[in-house]
């Protein structure tokens, strides 16, 4: 079949979502952009007088899942946990046994508002794990130049009492490379991140794994099984059918924004930024054009990184 393409309006939404998400990587910006995209195409189709697009096929969903009462209970449970953990976290300090709540709430909240796939969640997660401060210096002309840096770089060491980051950007990116090389969904990176955060806090790593993994996967499981009994009816709802193109377009824009956001992180943390970008380009071509298996490309990237380190290709001192 002929591949579908985005109409001009959704293309514009794609660009807008990408730019806004890249510039303002706040957790609540993402769902707002999705809703905004849906509203735009809904209004446009109403204004143009277009008939509602029919839902493709029957899918047999009407008879799957749990009863509607159980589905409603699961959705309410998801909302109750989200609200409760946010409130509890706001009343506690990051110390002692409360750390587990902080880890669970961060990943649960992130998993609750995400739309568009595993890649979209990465900028949100790294902003939860790494805290940033504005660092300003004065150049020889007396002009003040400011940039945002991780707090452990601002204070000079990770164990400084003012550092609130749970790990470094380099540690996060190392886990991302590991998760990409392993089978299973990208969300499995949460197990690595939880274990690392717990280890750095002096807590059993399994506690961090449980908090992060269940926190990130939990919302999706509850919402999917909760919504499934209603899906056969919801998918035919005219408002949803008209809003869907804009929502999908905004979601694609979020994915593109996450690519550039991670590109900046990789480049800024690498001791040889230009070489790191070149390795990334090689990996992209191998996977996209030559269909090379992702695990093999990740391993190759590691080997090229070792070579770049040994040869100090485009090395940045300091």
């Amino acid at each position: 079949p002929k591949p579908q393409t985005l109409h001009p309006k959704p293309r514009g939404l794609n660009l807008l979502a990408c730019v806004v998400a890249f510039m303002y990587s706040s957790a609540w910006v993402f769902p707002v952009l999705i809703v905004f995209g849906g509203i735009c195409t809904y209004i446009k189709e109403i204004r143009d007088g277009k008939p509602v697009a029919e839902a493709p096929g029957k899918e047999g969903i009407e008879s799957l899942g749990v009863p509607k009462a159980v589905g409603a209970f699961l959705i309410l449970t998801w909302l109750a946990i989200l609200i409760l953990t946010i409130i509890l976290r706001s009343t506690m300090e990051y110390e002692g046994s409360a750390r587990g709540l902080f880890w669970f709430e961060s990943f649960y909240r992130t998993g609750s508002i995400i739309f568009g796939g595993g890649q979209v969640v990465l900028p949100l997660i790294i902003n939860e794990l790494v805290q940033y401060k504005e660092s300003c210096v004065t150049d020889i002309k007396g002009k003040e130049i400011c940039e945002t840096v991780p707090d452990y770089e601002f204070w000079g060491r990770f164990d400084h009492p003012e550092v609130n980051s749970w790990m470094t950007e380099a540690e996060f990116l190392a886990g991302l490379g590991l998760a990409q090389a392993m089978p299973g969904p990208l969300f499995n990176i949460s197990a690595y991140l939880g274990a690392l955060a717990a280890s750095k806090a002096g807590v059993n790593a399994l506690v961090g794994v449980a908090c992060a993994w269940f926190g990130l996967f939990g919302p999706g499981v509850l919402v999917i099984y909760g919504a499934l009994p209603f899906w056969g009816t919801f998918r035919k709802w005219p408002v949803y059918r008209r809003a869907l193109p804009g929502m999908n377009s905004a979601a694609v824009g979020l994915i593109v924004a996450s690519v550039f956001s991670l590109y900046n992180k990789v480049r800024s943390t690498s001791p040889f930024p230009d070489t790191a970008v070149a390795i990334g380009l090689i990996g992209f071509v191998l996977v996209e054009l030559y269909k090379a298996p992702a695990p093999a490309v990740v391993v190759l990237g590691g080997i090229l990184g070792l070579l770049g380190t040994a040869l100090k290709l485009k090395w940045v001192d300091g």
Side-chain angles (χ1 to χ4, degrees), residues 83-124:
I83 295 171
L84 181 62
T85 53
I86 291 176
I87 293 175
L88 286 176
R89 172 171 172 165
S90 66
T91 62
M92 297 182 177
E93 297 291 335
Y94 182 68
E95 58 185 13
S97 59
R99 287 171 175 158
L101 174 64
F102 275 67
W103 301 330
F104 179 81
E105 188 274 337
S106 291
F107 283 91
Y108 191 89
R109 172 166 40 84
T110 301
S112 295
I113 62 177
I114 204 61
F115 188 101
Q119 286 72 21
V120 177
V121 80
L122 297 175
L124 296 182

Side-chain angles (χ1 to χ4, degrees), residues 23-47:
M23 295 184 65
Y24 305 98
S25 188
S26 171
W28 302 107
V29 168
F30 287 57
V32 168
L33 288 172
I34 296 294
V35 173
F36 176 77
I39 291 174
C40 286
T41 52
Y42 174 80
I43 294 175
K44 183 177 186 302
E45 291 202 0
I46 290 292
R47 185 187 63 189

Side-chain angles (χ1 to χ4, degrees), residues 5-270:
T5 57
L6 291 175
H7 295 296
K9 186 72 174 182
R11 284 200 190 106
L13 290 172
N14 183 293
L15 176 61
L16 177 64
C18 177
V19 171
V20 174
F22 180 78
M23 295 184 65
Y24 305 98
S25 188
S26 171
W28 302 107
V29 168
F30 287 57
V32 168
L33 288 172
I34 296 294
V35 173
F36 176 77
I39 291 174
C40 286
T41 52
Y42 174 80
I43 294 175
K44 183 177 186 302
E45 291 202 0
I46 290 292
R47 185 187 63 189
D48 294 346
K50 290 184 178 180
V52 179
E54 294 185 4
K58 287 191 174 182
E59 296 183 1
I61 293 177
E62 292 84 348
S63 60
L64 297 179
V66 297
K68 289 186 176 181
V70 177
F73 173 78
L74 291 175
I75 292 177
L76 290 175
T77 300
W78 159 64
L79 282 173
I81 294 174
L82 177 63
I83 295 171
L84 181 62
T85 53
I86 291 176
I87 293 175
L88 286 176
R89 172 171 172 165
S90 66
T91 62
M92 297 182 177
E93 297 291 335
Y94 182 68
E95 58 185 13
S97 59
R99 287 171 175 158
L101 174 64
F102 275 67
W103 301 330
F104 179 81
E105 188 274 337
S106 291
F107 283 91
Y108 191 89
R109 172 166 40 84
T110 301
S112 295
I113 62 177
I114 204 61
F115 188 101
Q119 286 72 21
V120 177
V121 80
L122 297 175
L124 296 182
I125 291 179
I126 196 170
N127 285 335
E128 290 288 331
L129 304 176
V130 180
Q131 303 302 311
Y132 297 88
K133 293 182 70 67
E134 189 176 69
S135 176
C136 299
V137 296
T138 303
D139 63 12
I140 57 176
K141 296 181 179 179
K143 181 179 179 181
E144 189 177 54
I145 302 174
C146 297
E147 62 176 343
T148 301
V149 299
D151 58 358
Y152 52 84
E153 291 185 3
F154 181 87
W155 294 109
R157 67 181 198 272
F158 192 87
D159 59 352
H160 191 280
E162 296 293 329
V163 170
N164 296 313
S165 295
W166 298 346
M167 64 187 64
T168 67
E169 289 181 336
E171 290 168 337
F172 174 87
L173 294 172
L176 175 59
L178 179 64
Q180 293 282 41
M182 300 294 287
L186 182 57
F187 275 19
N188 280 333
I189 190 179
S190 59
Y192 163 86
L193 299 176
L196 185 58
S199 297
K200 284 181 170 291
V203 179
N204 190 308
L206 292 178
V207 175
V209 170
C211 292
W213 194 87
F214 284 105
L216 195 58
F217 276 95
V221 173
L222 290 172
V223 172
I224 287 174
Y225 282 95
L228 195 56
F230 307 97
W231 181 243
T233 301
F234 181 78
R235 63 191 292 268
K236 300 174 185 176
W237 187 32
V239 173
Y240 169 74
R241 299 303 308 171
R242 294 184 188 277
L244 185 59
M247 295 169 65
N248 284 338
S249 183
V252 173
L254 298 183
I255 295 175
V256 176
S258 71
V259 171
F260 285 96
S261 177
L262 290 174
Y263 163 83
N264 279 346
K265 300 292 184 187
V266 171
R267 184 175 176 82
S268 64
T269 58
S270 175

